[in-house]
Amino acid sequence: MSKWSSFASLHRLVRPEVRPQLGKIALVVALSALVAIAEKAPLALIDPLFNRVLFPQGDVESGNALLLAFRATFESALGLVSERLYGATEEGSPERKLAALWTIAGVIGVMALLNAVAQYTLTLISRRVTLRMVVELRQRLAGHLVRLSMRFHGSRQFGDVLSRLSSDVTQTLNSLQTVLRDLVQQPMQLVGSLVVAGMMAPLPTLALLVALPVIAIPIATLGKRLRRRTTKSLASLGASVEVLTQIFTGIRTVKAFRAEERELERYRAVNEQFLDSAMRAARALASIEAATTIVSQLGFAVVLVIAGWATLELGVFKSAGEMGGFFAGVGLVYQHVRKITNAVSHVQEASGAADRLQALLVERADIVEHPAAQPIRSLGRGIVFERVSFRYPGAERAAIEALDLEVRPGETLALVGASGAGKTTLIDLIARFVDVSEGRITVDGRDLRELKLDDWTALYAMVGQSPFLFHATVRENILYGKPGATQAEVEAAARAAHIHDFIVSLPEGYDTRVGDQGSRLSGGQRQRIAIARAVLKGAGLLLLDEATSALDSESELEVQRALDELMVGRTVIVIAHRLSTVRNADRIAVFELGRLVEIGSHAELLARGGAYARLHAAQFGAASASAGV
């Protein structure tokens, strides 16, 4: 893979962010050219300063036409300035030479001022451009990821995604800064140095130009290895972040089993893998830099021999000033070449990060709005499953298979069955976290996939087994159900969820921060805040997924009271392992291995003596089941 593929990877990744910045990038190029001119122009004064001012050699008729023209122009300007500053002075007098020195110093001072202003502006604009592009890239990545379905998020490691959004984006930022700092400015400086050297000695400079492409050999040879090893290093870093994320997310479990040292050892193991892969990448980078140094130094030696031979045999250099100016330019040429090759190496090193980010962006969003999506304002005639099947990628069997089911408006439908029976998948299908593999789901007779996503999500509220609270205030967490709601509406929702009294007893009331994932609250309190959020949303369809199963008896009673009030007047689909919480449902749907095996009321299903009766007996005992409890 050539070095150009690294730049292609970077460009492909940030192309949408580059377009709005093209004007500023053009300004960066222009300023880089101005800086190069301002920095290299003083070098062109070396030969006239030596040969015409400090150590005059008399008339010099030989030399290239460009240099002679420059000398004539310089001497004319020098004479004019000297004449105006000091009046007529004897040719070659000390006063005239001193005037020339002051003139040259003044020219250099003006150039230095221009260079400083240009460099200051260049640094600000180039840094602003790169930061803006990376901010927009990070925003585009986050926007793309949050729009992917739960199928994607359920199959990816959170730590790896987090590593890509942090470490890989940071590497991309550094790469962009390298491009605008070194791969725009340094070539300009290189050209300026070559111009200075060419003015002094065209033929040796031409030989130098022929030798320069040789320096690209180590980059082209070792760049592919560097890119491959950097990608592996970043993957190892992602694994390290994943382990660390698991440790701190499950810190209660870690401490409960006194597994701190065990987890730290696991973290050390993945860090050692990261170190090993990172050092392989470092060796590839070091090889490129070492090879570049060898070629550069040998190249300088070759140029030195050529320049010396050309002076001795051909008389190319007529004075020490010419040769000094030439070698000053040559020295800067190799300095700029080394910076350019190092910059190219770092871009290649960052190309692995660009590839990993691009791999996220090419993930296809499988939950998309139909081009002719229809609006919907209510459930209408209800929700109907028509021969619906769904299979997770790589699964041996379907999670839902050939399901025919009707959810009637205003009813409470309970879903029961063993773990893995397909209950949560059914909720996910209704919420359109995933789409059916076969068949269709209709709402008021229309395919769910043909409805506007915003309209559909506005029609349902969801309360899960482990409610998620943001690291924000109680008010902000409740407002998540209806941004812009008034304080009176928030408090009314909290009262309906039987949590208002507790909230006002907190030191800061509704402005109390709940901690990371609600860590400062009990399970029952978190659940009731989640219920208040659902109450505030005011949706007509309520999806409850094991909303009370993780609570103690007292908390369950409080939460169940809140749920009972929330369920009034709504269509409810509820999952519960505890059959005591679903006995009052209008109908109970029993699932086994993805299939609907029974449906009916609590009494009807007990009377049948089928799957539901067996589940009931397992929980309450055979005697209770036979008594119809």
Side-chain angles (χ1 to χ4, degrees), residues 463-467 469 494 496-500 502-503 517-533 546-563:
V463 180
Q465 177 180 355
S466 301
L469 298 186
H498 296 273
I499 193 65
H500 173 74
F502 166 75
I503 294 172
Q517 299 185 42
S519 58
R520 297 179 183 175
L521 306 176
S522 70
Q525 291 160 355
R526 290 196 298 268
Q527 193 66 281
R528 280 179 284 165
I529 289 177
I531 292 171
R533 181 193 294 166
E546 301 283 359
T548 63
S549 64
L551 304 176
D552 58 75
S553 299
E554 184 176 352
S555 297
E556 180 182 4
L557 182 60
E558 288 292 326
V559 170
Q560 192 60 54
R561 286 173 56 201
L563 288 174

Side-chain angles (χ1 to χ4, degrees), residues 408-442:
R408 301 161 186 165
E411 79 165 338
T412 296
L413 176 68
L415 310 178
V416 301
S419 297
K423 307 182 297 300
T424 298
T425 300
L426 187 145
I427 293 287
D428 288 350
L429 287 169
I430 293 176
R432 223 190 152 197
F433 292 162
V434 292
D435 274 341
V436 300
S437 303
E438 298 176 19
R440 69 172 189 160
I441 302 172
T442 65

Side-chain angles (χ1 to χ4, degrees), residues 565-578:
E565 294 191 23
L566 178 60
M567 292 164 64
V568 174
R570 289 179 168 87
T571 303
V572 181
I573 301 176
V574 54
I575 297 175
H577 279 120
R578 299 181 184 177

Side-chain angles (χ1 to χ4, degrees), residues 3 22 46 58 62 64 136 143 163 189 202 247 264 271 291 311 345 361 380 386 404 441 456 485 500-501 574:
K3 62 175 181 281
L22 286 176
I46 292 178
S62 61
N64 65 80
E136 295 300 327
S163 173
Q189 301 280 9
I247 291 173
L264 287 173
N271 275 329
T311 300
S345 298
L361 289 172
E386 299 178 359
D404 288 308
I441 302 172
W456 175 240
H500 173 74
D501 292 341
V574 54

Side-chain angles (χ1 to χ4, degrees), residues 236 270-280:
S236 298
V270 295
N271 275 329
E272 289 297 330
Q273 292 175 1
F274 164 69
L275 177 62
D276 181 62
S277 58
M279 285 307 302
R280 291 181 183 179

Side-chain angles (χ1 to χ4, degrees), residues 312-612:
L312 296 173
E313 299 295 331
L314 305 178
V316 171
F317 293 106
K318 304 298 182 183
S319 67
E322 284 187 9
M323 179 169 281
F326 172 74
F327 276 105
V330 169
L332 291 174
V333 164
Y334 278 104
Q335 177 182 338
H336 297 317
V337 167
R338 287 195 62 184
K339 288 184 177 180
I340 291 171
T341 55
N342 287 339
V344 171
S345 298
H346 283 103
V347 171
Q348 288 181 316
E349 187 179 19
S351 64
D355 290 340
R356 279 162 48 87
L357 292 174
Q358 188 64 35
L360 289 180
L361 289 172
V362 298
E363 287 284 349
R364 186 176 61 87
D366 50 354
I367 304 299
V368 294
E369 188 167 274
H370 193 278
Q374 307 168 29
I376 185 170
R377 295 292 178 263
S378 69
L379 295 181
R381 291 169 288 172
I383 304 170
V384 179
F385 290 75
E386 299 178 359
R387 306 300 295 171
V388 167
S389 294
F390 176 80
R391 182 188 298 271
Y392 290 100
E396 296 181 358
R397 63 174 181 83
I400 295 288
E401 189 169 355
L403 174 62
D404 288 308
L405 177 65
E406 179 183 359
V407 182
R408 301 161 186 165
E411 79 165 338
T412 296
L413 176 68
L415 310 178
V416 301
S419 297
K423 307 182 297 300
T424 298
T425 300
L426 187 145
I427 293 287
D428 288 350
L429 287 169
I430 293 176
R432 223 190 152 197
F433 292 162
V434 292
D435 274 341
V436 300
S437 303
E438 298 176 19
R440 69 172 189 160
I441 302 172
T442 65
V443 182
D444 196 24
R446 292 177 290 177
D447 195 315
L448 179 59
R449 293 167 294 187
E450 297 175 0
L451 302 178
K452 288 184 177 294
L453 278 170
D454 286 345
D455 287 357
W456 175 240
T457 54
L459 288 181
Y460 71 79
M462 180 179 290
V463 180
Q465 177 180 355
S466 301
F468 180 85
L469 298 186
F470 294 92
H471 187 58
T473 65
V474 173
R475 177 187 292 104
E476 289 169 325
N477 273 284
I478 296 176
L479 278 172
Y480 206 77
K482 184 183 177 183
T486 66
Q487 178 63 20
E489 290 175 307
V490 170
E491 291 183 9
R495 286 190 177 93
H498 296 273
I499 193 65
H500 173 74
D501 292 341
F502 166 75
I503 294 172
V504 296
S505 71
L506 295 171
E508 298 178 70
Y510 280 86
D511 291 320
T512 302
R513 301 188 74 85
V514 301
D516 190 25
Q517 299 185 42
S519 58
R520 297 179 183 175
L521 306 176
S522 70
Q525 291 160 355
R526 290 196 298 268
Q527 193 66 281
R528 280 179 284 165
I529 289 177
I531 292 171
R533 181 193 294 166
V535 172
L536 186 62
K537 185 174 184 180
L541 173 62
L542 185 60
L543 306 176
L544 304 176
D545 188 354
E546 301 283 359
T548 63
S549 64
L551 304 176
D552 58 75
S553 299
E554 184 176 352
S555 297
E556 180 182 4
L557 182 60
E558 288 292 326
V559 170
Q560 192 60 54
R561 286 173 56 201
L563 288 174
D564 289 341
E565 294 191 23
L566 178 60
M567 292 164 64
V568 174
R570 289 179 168 87
T571 303
V572 181
I573 301 176
V574 54
I575 297 175
H577 279 120
R578 299 181 184 177
L579 301 185
S580 59
T581 63
V582 301
R583 65 173 63 195
N584 294 325
D586 297 306
R587 291 187 301 161
I588 300 171
V590 185
F591 285 83
E592 288 183 352
L593 299 178
R595 289 185 173 274
L596 176 63
V597 294
E598 285 184 330
I599 188 167
S601 67
H602 172 73
E604 290 171 346
L605 293 178
L606 282 181
R608 290 180 192 172
Y612 181 79

